[in-house]
Amino acid sequence: NIDLQAMVSGKLDLTGSMEFLFQHGRIIEEITGGTTTHAETTGDWRHTFVFADDVASMSIREGVDASSDIEFLLKGVVLNSLTLSLALDGVLRGRADFNVRDVDPSGTAASAQTISTLTVLPDSFGTVSFGVAGSEVAKASVKSLEFTIRNDGAGEMRDWGLDAKKAAASIPNQRQIEFRFSLTFQDVTEWNRFLGATTGVLDDGT
């Protein structure tokens, strides 16, 4: 019989994405999974992010900025990927793609949103440095940079079973890290170093 016999619900397969102005490093912890260490040296802070085998889930409340509006709750959110980018005459921006284990559409009244007052990071705050940790050298004339961490490099992170519609787990599946930047070469000597024709010296940023 080629006629439709019935419609049944399948597994719960929810995904989402968000774009934002980067103001705080907590979202990096959400994709790395490890414990971050923070150390101050003469007024500069170094934040060291550590990768873990598992990553924690979080909840996202979606609504608008008014107490009479309705919000719904995304539960068990796990990041698939996180990209941070900075361009000339711009501010540091982020994009995150994520899986959602469950959603609560009960329609609770949304409370007024708390809007972050942390400072966004303009391009004048951005540098690209090379070298051993603690003795890096900044590269001059960088025009843009983009940094991406992917937790789903080998495909689907979620695991379903026959006994439930919701994913049983969402764990990193081959991490991938990508880094891109554009720059202006200062002279032919620097260009030759880039091509490998001559050897640069790390201590002077070349």
Side-chain angles (χ1 to χ4, degrees), residues 27-53:
I27 195 167
I28 302 178
E29 295 179 337
E30 297 293 343
I31 196 163
T32 58
T35 301
T36 306
T37 57
H38 313 278
E40 184 181 13
T41 304
T42 61
D44 291 328
W45 282 89
R46 178 185 298 276
H47 309 283
T48 303
F49 297 92
V50 179
F51 287 105
D53 292 336

Side-chain angles (χ1 to χ4, degrees):
N1 192 330
I2 62 173
D3 295 333
L4 178 65
Q5 298 296 304
M7 294 184 66
V8 297
S9 60
K11 66 182 182 182
L12 195 62
D13 186 359
L14 301 174
T15 61
S17 63
M18 57 183 174
E19 296 183 0
F20 52 91
L21 300 181
F22 185 87
Q23 296 171 286
H24 192 278
R26 180 60 184 272
I27 195 167
I28 302 178
E29 295 179 337
E30 297 293 343
I31 196 163
T32 58
T35 301
T36 306
T37 57
H38 313 278
E40 184 181 13
T41 304
T42 61
D44 291 328
W45 282 89
R46 178 185 298 276
H47 309 283
T48 303
F49 297 92
V50 179
F51 287 105
D53 292 336
D54 297 316
V55 292
S57 64
M58 59 181 174
S59 296
I60 296 178
R61 294 185 180 275
E62 184 171 349
V64 295
D65 190 13
S67 58
S68 61
D69 290 297
I70 301 299
E71 69 177 7
F72 66 94
L73 177 65
L74 305 178
K75 299 188 293 185
V77 175
V78 175
L79 298 188
N80 291 331
S81 67
L82 173 67
T83 297
L84 302 179
S85 60
L86 181 62
L88 192 64
D89 200 28
V91 296
L92 186 60
R93 296 178 177 273
R95 174 186 171 88
D97 297 313
F98 54 84
N99 295 324
V100 181
R101 186 173 187 271
D102 196 9
V103 60
D104 180 2
S106 57
T108 57
S111 57
Q113 295 180 359
T114 300
I115 306 299
S116 173
T117 58
L118 295 175
T119 303
V120 297
L121 304 176
D123 62 340
S124 57
F125 283 27
T127 60
V128 176
S129 300
F130 298 93
V132 179
S135 59
E136 303 93 337
V137 177
K139 182 70 187 75
S141 299
V142 175
K143 305 303 182 186
S144 65
L145 61 89
E146 182 178 282
F147 180 73
T148 299
I149 301 174
R150 299 192 62 88
N151 278 345
D152 58 353
E156 179 63 66
M157 291 172 53
R158 292 168 293 177
D159 179 33
W160 285 273
L162 293 174
D163 58 337
K165 295 183 179 297
K166 301 172 187 177
S170 187
I171 58 177
N173 186 8
Q174 190 184 96
R175 280 195 173 100
Q176 294 180 349
I177 300 176
E178 302 172 358
F179 179 61
R180 307 179 186 88
F181 67 97
S182 61
L183 72 162
T184 299
F185 289 105
Q186 299 298 304
D187 48 37
V188 175
T189 299
E190 188 174 49
W191 172 245
N192 285 332
R193 286 171 178 154
F194 174 75
L195 294 177
T198 58
T199 302
V201 180
L202 187 60
D203 290 344
D204 64 8
T206 60

